[in-house]
């Protein structure tokens, strides 16, 4: 294991994110802004995948598909976001939809179908970057899937309990030295790590560490992590430089919550789905 000390942390703020606010060229089309494939939403958890997919679309992905980790997609169409294409995971993975970034694990569950689906995705992702969240991380911690994720970058997005499961320690130990926990995970999995919670830590595979300055306790509500995963996949699919995409999504997610609180929509009662509209407004307002 590489034990070189990680690079001392910079702060992620608006000024550090020029790529997030770059203007669109006139001569562009939906293919210019990438295709996100969301693999998640096992039985009873379809909403997690939908939250990620809607957020991916609203912060600018050209196209978004969901592959539910169920035998058949539980709904034909998302009534609130009919632009998102809904499939079962098998048909999403076995056909080439031109996905330019994958978001996997949101509400996927921890059963055999979830594990098999993720293992298949690692083989079939065709080099496209992968964001792995939630139960995808829990399956990894349990040894039910292996980190044989093939070519292309990987971004892991644990909250402190998930990070603890991956490292074989408790969440309190993770919280006692968050930069070190993120760095341990980045080394172990040769991946980008987004260690969530107040002051989200971003660690690059080479140990570059940054701490996010945006966000507030309004985010402490179900589904906000799914929205973050969708935003990460979206900016990566849009081909922002990877460091700008990862830091940009983390900052935008927190800044959206800050904007909602400033409008009186939170911290109490802020809902995860509202973040995507606020984030879209921020990207367009610069
Ligand atoms: N300050 C700033 N940010 C916060 C705060 C806070 N006090 N509390 C939470 N957040 C942010 C985190 O940084 C993260 O981006 O909200 C998000 C919460 O993400 P998750 O913990 O993954 O929450 P959730 O979306 O409900 O997860 C859904 O996935 O990880 C599993 O156990 C989880 O089953 C649940 C599912
Ligand atoms: Mg989560």
């Amino acid at each position: 294991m590489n034990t070189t000390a990680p690079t001392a942390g910079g702060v992620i703020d608006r000024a550090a994110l020029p790529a997030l606010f770059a203007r669109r060229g006139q001569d562009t089309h939906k293919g210019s802004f990438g295709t996100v494939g969301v693999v998640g939403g096992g039985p009873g958890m379809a909403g997690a995948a939908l939250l990620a997919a809607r957020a991916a679309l609203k912060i600018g992905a050209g196209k978004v598909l969901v592959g539910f980790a169920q035998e058949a997609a539980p709904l034909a169409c998302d009534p609130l976001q009919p632009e998102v294409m809904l499939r079962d995971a098998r048909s999403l993975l076995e056909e080439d939809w031109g996905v330019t970034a994958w978001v996997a694990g949101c509400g996927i569950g921890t059963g055999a179908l979830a594990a098999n689906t993720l293992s298949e995705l690692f083989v079939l992702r065709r080099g496209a970057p992968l964001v792995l969240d939630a139960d995808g991380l829990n399956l990894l911690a349990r040894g039910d899937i292996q980190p044989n994720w093939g070519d292309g970058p990987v971004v892991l997005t644990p909250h402190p309990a998930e990070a603890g499961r991956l490292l074989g320690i408790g969440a309190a130990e993770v919280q006692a030295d968050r930069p070190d926990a993120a760095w341990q995970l980045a080394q172990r999995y040769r991946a980008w790590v987004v260690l969530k919670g107040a002051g989200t830590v971003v660690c690059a595979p080479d140990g570059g560490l940054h701490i996010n300055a945006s966000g507030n306790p309004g985010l402490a509500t179900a589904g906000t992590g799914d929205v973050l995963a969708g935003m990460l996949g979206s900016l990566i699919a849009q081909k922002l430089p990877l460091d700008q995409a990862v830091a940009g999504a983390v900052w935008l997610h927190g800044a959206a919550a800050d904007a909602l609180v400033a409008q009186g929509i939170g911290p109490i009662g802020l809902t995860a789905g509202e973040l995507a509209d606020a984030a879209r407004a921020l990207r367009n307002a610069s």
Side-chain angles (χ1 to χ4, degrees):
M1 183 179 281
N2 178 3
T3 52
T4 313
T7 319
V11 172
I12 301 169
D13 57 16
R14 189 187 188 100
L17 299 165
L20 189 59
F21 299 104
R23 297 294 90 198
R24 283 190 169 186
Q26 284 298 330
D27 186 22
T28 48
H29 53 88
K30 64 177 178 283
S32 313
F33 303 108
T35 298
V36 177
V38 178
V39 176
M45 296 295 287
L50 293 178
L51 282 167
R54 293 172 184 172
L57 189 69
K58 287 201 168 175
I59 67 158
K63 222 191 289 181
V64 181
L65 295 116
V66 175
F68 291 102
Q70 305 191 33
E71 295 303 337
L75 62 175
C77 164
D78 176 355
L80 292 185
Q81 210 65 69
E83 302 86 350
V84 174
M85 288 166 277
L86 306 183
R87 302 282 184 273
D88 63 84
R90 177 157 301 281
S91 70
L92 183 66
L93 293 182
E94 288 183 350
E95 223 175 296
D96 186 357
W97 300 90
V99 169
T100 56
W102 294 96
V103 176
C106 304
I108 200 167
T110 53
L113 180 61
N116 293 339
T117 299
L118 290 175
S119 298
E120 199 177 347
L121 169 63
F122 297 166
V123 174
L124 295 177
R125 69 184 175 114
R126 305 177 182 90
L130 166 70
V131 177
L132 189 62
D133 186 40
D135 276 336
L137 303 171
N138 293 327
L139 285 164
L140 192 58
R142 284 167 29 164
D144 290 353
I145 59 173
Q146 300 303 315
N148 301 325
W149 21 68
D151 293 337
V154 172
V155 182
L156 306 179
T157 57
H159 59 48
E162 290 160 346
R165 284 175 207 129
L166 289 167
L167 291 168
I169 60 177
E173 213 176 318
V174 169
Q175 293 297 70
D177 191 345
R178 288 166 52 81
D180 184 65
W183 169 227
Q184 296 301 328
L185 288 171
Q187 288 178 96
R188 181 176 298 190
Y189 292 108
R190 301 179 317 282
W192 287 80
V193 173
V194 173
L195 176 56
K196 298 184 292 193
T200 290
V201 177
V202 174
C203 188
D206 68 1
L209 275 167
H210 290 85
I211 311 286
N212 184 41
S214 66
N216 63 71
L219 288 167
T221 182
T224 53
D226 305 317
V227 170
L228 175 64
M231 290 184 174
L232 284 160
S234 183
L235 294 183
I236 294 169
Q238 289 169 65
K239 298 276 191 308
L240 272 69
L242 194 55
D243 59 334
Q244 288 277 299
V246 175
V250 168
W251 180 83
L252 189 61
H253 180 259
D258 293 342
L260 289 169
V261 168
Q263 295 163 43
I265 307 168
I268 297 166
L270 184 156
T271 61
E274 289 166 312
L275 292 168
D277 293 300
R280 174 177 64 184
L282 285 170
R283 268 203 101 185
N284 283 314
S286 63

